[in-house]
Amino acid sequence: MPLKDVFLQHPERRYIMFGGKGGLGKTTFSAAAAYWLASRGKKVLVFSVDPQASLTDIFKKDIFGKGPVKIMENLWAQEIDADSHIREYQDEIRKKILDRYGLPKVPDEIENYIQAASAEPAMEESAIFDAVVDVVMKGDYDYYIYDLVPLGHALYYLSMAKVYDEWINKITKLREDMREYEEMVSRLKHEKANEQDEILQELLYIKNRINTSAGILTDKAKTAFFFVVVPEAMIIDDTRKAAQMFAQFDVPVAGYVVNRVIPHELLQRKIPDYLRNRIAMQDTHMTELHQAFDDHVMAEVPEMERDVTGLPMIEKLAGIMFA
Ligand SMILES: Nc1ncnc2c1ncn2[C@@H]1O[C@H](COP(=O)(O)OP(=O)(O)OP(=O)(O)O)[C@@H](O)[C@H]1O
Ligand SMILES: [Mg+2]
């Protein structure tokens, strides 16, 4: 089924992801899909957590860490600055501690703990994930297009429920460490320890968010994940393996989009043997690709005459991708 029809027949799939190995065209396809939907009157947000700011590059507009930036009618782009989210998160913890214990300054041991916890990869991933959940839950767009980071990393996100578990365990530990503090402060203030467990409330809140977001990410009805592939033996192989892993995470793989196909029309012209051989080789890989992914290849996008940046190029590519 052509990519266009997949979108037209499933308007309920509002969460769109393009994934694949590094440099194959995830950002390009995300931008093209966003452009195509927006030009059909849908309100679209295309977003990423990529610190490399590739949406900034492709739209030729400074987007990084600026919230949703309007690109054109119906189209917004957002690049989440994960580091600033971590800092915000730290500040929130500090503020809670100060408010709760009426301290003028965060005690050194606690500050050290906050610093150490923030250096943990789990914390960084959680901050990113949290930001994504925020974007998806707060906005009122018709479509959310998530321009993913390269595959290995994306898989990591998708196993985020586990990472989150880890994080919750850390907070629980922090909570226990703090209980000692709490008792000490209470004794000093001649108060009884606060019985209401705010932190526990927070944990429950987070758990609820995890469930909601994991529900969105793996909801076949609302989500469509597309693999970006190119006709090369190694990529086909890796993608096949990745697809199997994704299946284990219940990711609803909606199809495959092939990028960088050298146009066959060139064969009609006088071209060097070099190019002729390349095309013949690609044909072999295309056959292999179609065999590997059955009928799930939804579009073939040619190698363009130049890199894809700026709206006119995006429009051109979208026209082919959604033909
Ligand atoms: N069909 C195409 N024709 C010509 N250039 C292309 C095509 N598709 C992608 N490119 C170019 O290839 C480069 C990589 O594409 P893109 O940034 O979309 O890949 P990516 O998968 O998002 O990479 P990363 O894994 O780093 O996020 C970009 O410079 C882009 O303009
Ligand atoms: Mg990219």
Side-chain angles (χ1 to χ4, degrees):
M1 191 195 291
L3 191 62
K4 181 182 180 175
D5 293 346
V6 179
F7 277 80
L8 293 182
Q9 285 180 20
H10 296 285
E12 74 286 358
R13 292 183 185 166
R14 299 170 48 224
Y15 305 98
I16 311 294
M17 290 181 272
F18 287 94
K21 295 197 77 182
L24 299 188
K26 297 177 292 296
T27 302
T28 306
F29 286 0
S30 298
Y35 180 93
W36 183 75
L37 288 163
S39 57
R40 299 180 65 90
K42 304 292 180 195
K43 193 174 168 195
V44 185
L45 178 74
V46 54
F47 69 97
S48 88
V49 297
D50 187 353
Q52 293 193 38
S54 0
L55 290 173
T56 288
D57 294 339
I58 194 162
F59 289 118
K60 295 183 172 170
K61 200 161 191 165
D62 188 12
I63 292 166
F64 192 72
K66 293 197 155 53
V69 174
K70 188 165 182 176
I71 304 295
M72 61 179 221
E73 198 53 37
N74 292 322
L75 176 56
W76 281 262
Q78 180 170 2
E79 282 177 327
I80 294 161
D81 175 359
D83 285 345
S84 85
H85 274 273
I86 294 175
R87 287 193 298 273
E88 269 168 34
Y89 179 67
Q90 290 178 330
D91 284 345
E92 213 175 288
I93 295 178
R94 287 191 192 99
K95 188 171 174 306
K96 276 190 183 146
I97 291 171
L98 296 183
D99 287 354
R100 184 147 176 212
Y101 302 105
L103 300 171
K105 173 180 172 295
V106 176
D108 284 345
E109 304 109 87
I110 303 273
E111 182 57 39
N112 289 343
Y113 193 92
I114 293 172
Q115 297 286 343
S118 307
E120 296 274 348
M123 170 74 101
E124 186 178 337
E125 303 295 343
S126 304
I128 290 173
F129 194 62
D130 209 46
V132 170
V133 172
D134 236 31
V135 163
V136 171
M137 282 173 62
K138 278 188 190 155
D140 66 334
Y141 299 91
D142 298 325
Y143 282 90
Y144 293 87
I145 300 185
Y146 187 0
D147 168 24
L148 291 170
V149 288
L151 208 53
H153 217 72
L155 264 174
Y156 195 46
Y157 286 144
L158 293 165
S159 60
M160 196 49 77
K162 286 182 197 133
V163 178
Y164 242 119
D165 261 359
E166 210 177 297
W167 188 54
I168 287 181
N169 290 340
K170 283 204 168 84
I171 300 184
T172 315
K173 166 110 178 22
L174 175 66
R175 197 194 152 283
E176 275 161 13
D177 289 353
M178 276 177 45
R179 190 180 286 151
E180 266 175 51
Y181 237 99
E182 189 175 351
E183 279 166 7
M184 195 185 78
V185 175
S186 299
R187 269 198 301 277
L188 288 175
K189 288 175 146 186
H190 306 290
E191 274 175 6
K192 258 176 78 177
N194 191 352
E195 280 191 41
Q196 194 202 14
D197 199 335
E198 287 166 32
I199 295 178
L200 195 63
Q201 291 303 318
E202 185 127 334
L203 291 181
L204 291 174
Y205 169 74
I206 292 166
K207 258 211 148 59
N208 181 35
R209 281 168 67 95
I210 298 172
N211 290 341
T212 313
S213 56
I216 292 171
L217 282 178
T218 54
D219 184 344
K220 272 202 164 52
K222 291 190 191 139
T223 305
F225 181 99
F226 294 96
F227 270 110
V228 182
V229 284
V230 295
E232 281 173 27
M234 209 178 81
I235 303 290
I236 297 170
D237 219 42
D238 287 351
T239 306
R240 200 193 279 125
K241 284 181 200 140
Q244 283 163 2
M245 276 197 271
F246 273 42
Q248 286 171 12
F249 287 117
D250 293 324
V251 176
V253 176
Y256 299 79
V257 183
V258 190
N259 196 12
R260 311 204 92 131
V261 182
I262 306 170
H264 252 212
E265 299 88 80
L266 288 176
L267 290 174
Q268 320 294 317
R269 297 195 220 157
K270 209 168 140 27
I271 53 167
D273 284 347
Y274 169 84
L275 199 50
R276 216 166 271 281
N277 291 337
R278 289 290 317 231
I279 294 175
M281 193 185 76
Q282 247 196 9
D283 284 347
T284 318
H285 293 320
M286 280 308 266
T287 312
E288 197 188 325
L289 206 150
H290 279 277
Q291 276 164 1
F293 308 124
D294 285 327
D295 310 327
H296 296 105
V297 177
M298 263 88 195
E300 289 175 15
V301 174
E303 176 77 41
M304 308 291 267
E305 69 276 15
R306 48 156 282 213
D307 62 350
V308 186
T309 51
L311 286 181
M313 260 330 258
I314 294 171
E315 179 182 15
K316 188 170 175 187
L317 189 136
I320 303 169
M321 190 172 158
F322 289 91

